[in-house]
Amino acid sequence: SNKRGIKEKYPQAPIIAGGTSMGGITLVHYLATYGFEANITAAMIQSTGWCIFECVKSLSKPSNMIFNLYLTHRYKEVIVENKEMFEEQGIDTEEVLKCRTVQEIHKKYVAPQHGYSTVEEYWDMLSPHRQLLHVKIPLLSLNAADDVFSPEKSIPVHLTQRNPNIAFVVTHKGGHIGFMEGVNPKKAGYNDTLFYEFVKMIRKCVDGGELGLDGRWCSEWEETENDQRQYPVWPQQN
């Protein structure tokens, strides 16, 4: 894999993973499954949908249907482009192309293809908030309160009280993978700035012997009741 090649070439360099939207969901599942064996020092994700049920509910609102229709259109484009391959797998592509929403496509195609008898079982498995307590390395999540794919009430900020390895930054605005700072969309956004600062912090912790390359905090650095270190405090939403 690419990660193994990087590790062989730069054995003393920390590996910091990033995931966006669905990539964030995949990364959380990976980290929760492999723990320290993932050989990743830290990770940052952005615009991750934490509860698929809430995501679907949000996309079903009339005001958000434009996003639902766009995703449905993109699904259909992929199916048309790979029609022969899908039909070789026994998929009735014409039936799938009749679907009008993402929910229908998940129910008729995606869930069965992944071996689930119902779409609810598939959504339950896919929702990454269930995996957060199993994440063992530093994980920073950036979400926007106005993201239609990840409604604010579904962002599991409360789980930071049960797993000190995870942290959330929730902005008032930002939409889905937006986070613009200014009117020029080509300039770096807040997500870029935050990732840069996060990487610097992780690198500093590794160089200072506080964090291992596998993402494990060194025992000598464990917090105590009299710990006087100054930790960064993210702006809290009023």
Side-chain angles (χ1 to χ4, degrees):
S1 66
N2 291 335
K3 179 165 67 69
R4 185 178 297 111
I6 294 173
K7 202 67 179 176
E8 292 176 352
K9 190 172 183 179
Y10 306 100
Q12 299 305 315
I15 293 180
I16 302 175
T20 299
S21 191
M22 187 65 189
I25 294 177
T26 303
L27 183 54
V28 170
H29 280 275
Y30 178 79
L31 296 177
T33 300
Y34 292 98
F36 295 125
E37 295 181 2
N39 288 319
I40 292 177
T41 309
M44 177 178 159
I45 56 180
Q46 62 172 324
S47 298
T48 297
W50 289 102
C51 177
I52 306 304
F53 291 93
E54 292 296 332
C55 174
V56 170
K57 187 185 300 184
S58 175
L59 289 175
S60 299
K61 294 180 179 179
S63 59
N64 295 335
M65 277 304 295
I66 186 172
F67 301 103
N68 198 322
L69 295 176
Y70 173 75
L71 282 180
T72 303
H73 175 69
R74 291 294 297 128
Y75 265 117
K76 291 181 178 181
E77 282 187 335
V78 172
I79 291 172
V80 170
E81 292 171 1
N82 302 276
K83 187 175 181 179
E84 292 185 5
M85 180 189 72
F86 285 124
E87 290 181 343
E88 288 177 359
Q89 298 176 10
I91 298 172
D92 188 344
T93 56
E94 294 302 322
E95 188 66 25
V96 177
L97 292 175
K98 293 179 183 178
C99 295
R100 297 182 177 181
T101 64
V102 170
Q103 297 92 306
E104 286 186 59
I105 290 182
H106 277 201
K107 181 177 181 179
K108 294 183 178 181
Y109 162 62
V110 180
Q113 279 298 110
H114 286 81
Y116 292 91
S117 57
T118 68
V119 71
E120 289 78 15
E121 289 181 2
Y122 173 69
W123 288 342
D124 186 60
M125 176 282 302
L126 191 61
S127 298
H129 71 282
R130 295 184 177 278
Q131 304 296 324
L132 270 181
L133 295 182
H134 302 291
V135 173
K136 297 181 179 180
I137 70 170
L139 172 67
L140 176 62
S141 174
L142 172 63
N143 286 90
D146 63 346
D147 187 347
V148 299
F149 294 96
S150 186
E152 184 177 14
K153 66 178 182 180
S154 70
I155 303 172
V157 177
H158 63 284
L159 292 181
T160 58
Q161 300 175 11
R162 300 176 59 187
N163 186 346
N165 296 309
I166 60 177
F168 285 88
V169 174
V170 182
T171 60
H172 287 287
K173 301 293 183 179
H176 191 67
I177 327 173
F179 305 106
M180 287 176 57
E181 290 189 309
V183 297
N184 188 346
K186 294 184 178 181
K187 287 189 176 181
Y190 178 66
N191 49 346
D192 302 297
T193 302
L194 184 63
F195 183 70
Y196 175 71
E197 293 297 327
F198 180 66
V199 169
K200 285 203 305 182
M201 182 194 72
I202 293 300
R203 183 76 214 205
K204 183 177 180 180
C205 290
V206 171
D207 291 344
E210 302 164 354
L211 183 67
L213 293 176
D214 61 355
R216 195 190 309 263
W217 291 105
C218 300
S219 58
E220 306 85 52
W221 190 75
E222 290 180 352
E223 293 184 50
T224 65
E225 292 184 357
N226 298 319
D227 196 337
Q228 299 299 313
R229 292 186 182 85
Q230 296 297 312
Y231 297 96
V233 178
W234 300 111
Q236 298 296 308
Q237 179 173 329
N238 295 326

